[in-house]
Amino acid sequence: MEAHSHATPPADGPTLGSLPVEPLLTAEFDVDPGAVYERLRSTYGPVAPVGLMGVPVWLVLGYTEVTEVLRNESLWRRDIRYWRARAEGRLPRDWPLLAGYEVRQMMFMDDDEHLGARRTHHSALSPFQDARSPEGWQLRAAVARYADELVGMLAAESGSVGFADLGAQYTRPLLLMVTTKLFGCPVELGDELVMDLWRMLDGGPDSGPATARALGAFTRLAAHRRARPGDDLTSYMLLADPGLSDEQLGRELFMNAVYLNDITGNMVLNTLLEVLRGNATVRRSLSAGQLGETVNRAALANPPVANMCFRFAARDVRLGEVWVRAGDAVSPSAAAAHHDLLAISSSHLVGSTVSTRAHLGWGAGPHQCPSAARELGGMIVATAVGRVLDHFARAELTLPPDQLPWRSGPVVRGLRLLPVRYELRAGVLPAQRRDPAEPSTAPTADGYARRLLTVLRRLMPGGKEEDRVLP
Ligand code: HEM
C-alpha cells in the first residue's frame, strides 16, 4: 500500500467530485447495510464513492484498506483543516454533519497535540477502570446497582412477566445514570445531554443548535467542577491538565459523553440482541462464562461505530482501486471490513479466534479507543448485559430480528428499540413507588431514572411533538 503513496495519479483519472455517487443513508441502508456494502464493493472494489447528505466522500470497505487508513497517521490526517472541500468553501453551510466535525477536540487532532490530549484522558480515566481503586470499585458497584434498580422499576411498572423495551426502559437510562455519576454532573444536566447528543449524532436539521446547547452544558459543568472539585472524571481531567480552559474541557467531555452514552449503550443493545437472536458463537461464549468474549463477538457482528469519522489524505494516494486526492475525506467502515473477517473466520483453514482478536469495534491505530476507556466500556457492557441475564428467567424478541428498527446514521448503527417479552426470576424486588406528595431530598437513582424515562419516551419515534421538551 505505502509503495503507491508517492506515485502520481493519471492526469485524466476521475476525482471524487467527478464521480456519480449514490447516497449512503437510504431506507435500504437502514434495513440491510451489509447488502449496500456488498453492492458498493462489487461496483468499485474496496473503496467506494458515496454521498453523505449531499457531500461526496470515500467509504473504505476492505479490511486491509481500513486498517491502513486507521494506522498510518502521517498520511491520513484527522485535523479537519486538511479537508479540501471545507477549505475551499464547497460544503453547504447548513450541512447537518458539520456541527459535530467543527467541535475541535482530541478526535480531530494530530501528532503531539493529539498525544498530549490522550495522556490527559488516560490519566483522568485510569482510576475508574481499575477495579482495585476506590473510584473503580465505586463505579462498578454503582453500575450494578443502577441496573438492578432499573430492572426493579420494570417489575414495578409491568410486573414480573410482561413486555419491555430494553432500550428505553433499561439501557439508555442506565448509561445516563453512569454518565451523571462519572462526570460529576449536577442532575439538571442529564436531560439536556440526552436530547442534544441524539440530535447532533443523527445529523438532523437542528443539529447545529443542539450541538451548541450540549457544548454549553459541558462548559458549565467544567466551570462548576473547577470551582467545586470532586472524585469525578471532569475534576480529574483538570487535575491532569490544569491548563485546560472550561471551553476545551467542555469539548472533551462532550466527545466522551457521545462514546459513553450512545456508543456504549448501542454496544449493550447489540450484545443483548445477538444473545436474544441466538447467535451461535455468542451463545457458546456465554455458556462458557466468557462475557468479555460475548461482547467481542457482538462487536464483530455489529460494531456500534459502524463507519468511523473522517480522515483526510495528506497527499494524493492510491487506495484499493481508486486515487484519493490530497484533502479528500475518507470514512473507514468497520462494519464493512468485518465482512472480510467473518469470511476468513468461517474458512476451514483459520480458527474462530481470528475474528474476535482482529475486530475493529474499538478502532485501530493512534486514535483507537484509549485502553482505560475500553476497560471502562467493556465493564459497563458486561455488567449491563450480565444483570439482564441474571435477572431474567426468560426473554424473547417480540419482533422478528429483520423487522427491528435501527438508527442508522453516518457513524452509528444502533437499535431504536429492543422489544422483549420477559419473565423475571423469582426474587427480583419491584422498586418502591414514591408518594408524589413526599418531598424528594437527595436525587436517588430511582427518581432520576424515572425522570429520564419520561424524557426518553417523548423522544421515541411516534412521540407527540407537543410532548417534546425542547423546541
Ligand atoms: C463499548 C463501548 C465503546 C466502543 C465500542 C468504543 C469504540 C471506539 C472507537 C471505534 C473509537 C475510534 C474512532 C475513530 O478512530 O474514528 C473510539 C475512540 C475513542 N473512545 Fe471509545 N468506545 C467505547 C467506549 C468508550 C468510553 C466509555 C469512553 C470514555 C468514557 C470512550 C472514549 C473514547 C475516546 C476519548 C476516543 C477518541 C480517541 C482518539 O481520538 O485518540 N470510549 N472508541
Side-chain angles (χ1 to χ4, degrees):
M1 191 86 43
E2 186 59 9
H4 295 293
S5 57
H6 288 97
T8 316
D12 58 350
T15 57
L16 181 56
S18 70
L19 288 166
V21 291
E22 66 169 89
L24 184 67
L25 305 175
T26 57
E28 183 194 8
F29 186 72
D30 270 357
V31 177
D32 188 1
V36 175
Y37 297 139
E38 274 319 297
R39 194 177 56 251
L40 288 168
R41 196 192 287 248
S42 63
T43 312
Y44 299 98
V47 182
V50 295
L52 272 186
M53 300 170 175
V55 170
V57 304
W58 296 107
L59 187 68
V60 189
L61 305 152
Y63 185 81
T64 311
E65 290 75 14
V66 168
T67 48
E68 150 67 16
V69 171
L70 294 180
R71 294 204 168 118
N72 187 343
E73 93 173 304
S74 62
L75 189 49
W76 302 102
R77 312 297 279 163
R78 294 306 304 257
D79 192 324
I80 65 161
R81 286 172 293 190
Y82 280 91
W83 194 356
R84 208 179 55 254
R86 176 179 174 272
E88 292 172 357
R90 284 187 286 110
L91 295 177
R93 285 182 54 154
D94 56 352
W95 192 54
L97 299 178
L98 198 54
Y101 276 101
E102 292 286 357
V103 180
R104 188 163 171 74
Q105 39 75 15
M106 174 164 92
M107 273 183 76
F108 303 141
M109 294 173 184
D110 291 315
D111 306 325
D112 287 349
E113 189 186 18
H114 171 238
L115 281 179
R118 244 180 114 92
R119 271 195 296 275
T120 302
H121 280 80
H122 187 79
S123 146
L125 277 167
S126 289
F128 299 100
Q129 57 93 22
D130 179 357
R132 292 159 305 177
S133 75
E135 295 88 344
W137 59 255
Q138 275 173 18
L139 188 69
R140 278 172 162 69
V143 177
R145 192 174 65 248
Y146 297 155
D148 292 349
E149 286 177 7
L150 286 163
V151 176
M153 281 175 58
L154 205 64
E157 281 189 9
S158 312
S160 56
V161 178
F163 294 90
D165 170 9
L166 292 181
Q169 289 174 273
Y170 181 70
T171 306
R172 289 176 199 130
L174 176 64
L175 267 301
L176 278 161
M177 292 156 82
V178 176
T179 307
T180 302
K181 170 146 183 75
L182 181 65
F183 283 26
C185 278
V187 162
E188 308 85 70
L189 287 178
D191 298 350
E192 267 182 81
L193 183 147
V194 66
M195 291 182 281
D196 286 337
L197 289 186
W198 282 18
R199 290 185 168 107
M200 187 274 300
L201 280 167
D202 289 349
D206 53 355
S207 62
T211 306
R213 280 192 301 266
L215 281 172
F218 286 117
T219 307
R220 288 196 296 282
L221 172 62
H224 174 80
R225 283 294 163 215
R226 192 188 297 279
R228 300 180 58 187
D231 295 328
D232 51 69
L233 181 68
T234 312
S235 307
Y236 288 5
M237 294 272 294
L238 280 168
L239 267 182
D241 182 358
L244 277 175
S245 66
D246 289 346
E247 288 70 23
Q248 187 55 31
L249 179 51
R251 289 193 277 271
E252 300 298 342
L253 291 172
F254 168 87
M255 186 252 311
N256 276 286
V258 169
Y259 280 109
L260 186 56
N261 275 273
D262 204 42
I263 306 303
T264 309
N266 284 323
M267 193 66 240
V268 171
L269 288 173
N270 292 359
T271 307
L272 285 170
L273 172 62
E274 292 305 320
V275 173
L276 292 171
R277 80 198 299 188
N279 176 320
T281 53
V282 166
R283 276 189 182 267
R284 255 200 310 280
S285 61
L286 261 186
S287 54
Q290 302 164 317
L291 205 45
E293 177 67 2
T294 308
V295 176
N296 273 341
R297 297 228 168 246
L300 179 71
N302 221 337
V305 184
N307 298 317
M308 281 173 253
C309 289
F310 301 153
R311 271 76 173 161
F312 309 100
R315 55 179 180 269
D316 293 350
V317 57
R318 189 155 171 87
L319 186 67
E321 292 161 25
V322 303
W323 276 97
V324 176
R325 306 304 170 106
D328 280 357
V330 307
S331 169
S333 173
H338 283 185
H339 284 249
D340 289 348
L341 276 189
L342 289 165
I344 296 171
S345 67
S346 62
S347 138
H348 294 309
L349 300 175
V350 187
S352 60
T353 48
V354 167
S355 50
T356 58
R357 293 224 184 107
H359 80 75
L360 299 171
W362 304 105
H367 283 273
Q368 67 184 276
C369 194
S371 57
R374 284 171 62 153
E375 289 288 327
L376 191 61
M379 178 278 285
I380 296 168
V381 176
T383 307
V385 173
R387 297 315 261 194
V388 166
L389 299 176
D390 284 352
H391 289 313
F392 286 57
R394 200 170 51 82
E396 59 203 37
L397 291 171
T398 55
L399 281 175
D402 61 357
Q403 285 177 28
L404 288 169
W406 288 89
R407 221 181 94 214
S408 236
V411 176
V412 173
R413 181 160 165 87
L415 284 163
R416 287 182 188 278
L417 316 165
L418 188 56
V420 294
R421 183 182 302 111
Y422 68 84
E423 183 183 334
L424 295 176
R425 284 189 207 284
V428 175
L429 292 178
Q432 296 287 311
R433 282 182 186 281
R434 218 191 356 254
D435 178 353
E438 180 193 323
S440 87
T441 48
T444 62
D446 181 35
Y448 182 59
R450 275 175 200 282
R451 282 191 334 113
L452 280 176
L453 280 181
T454 313
V455 174
L456 286 162
R457 284 187 185 134
R458 287 176 188 158
L459 287 168
M460 299 306 287
K464 288 193 209 129
E465 194 58 38
E466 61 269 26
D467 285 343
R468 289 177 194 259
V469 176
L470 285 182

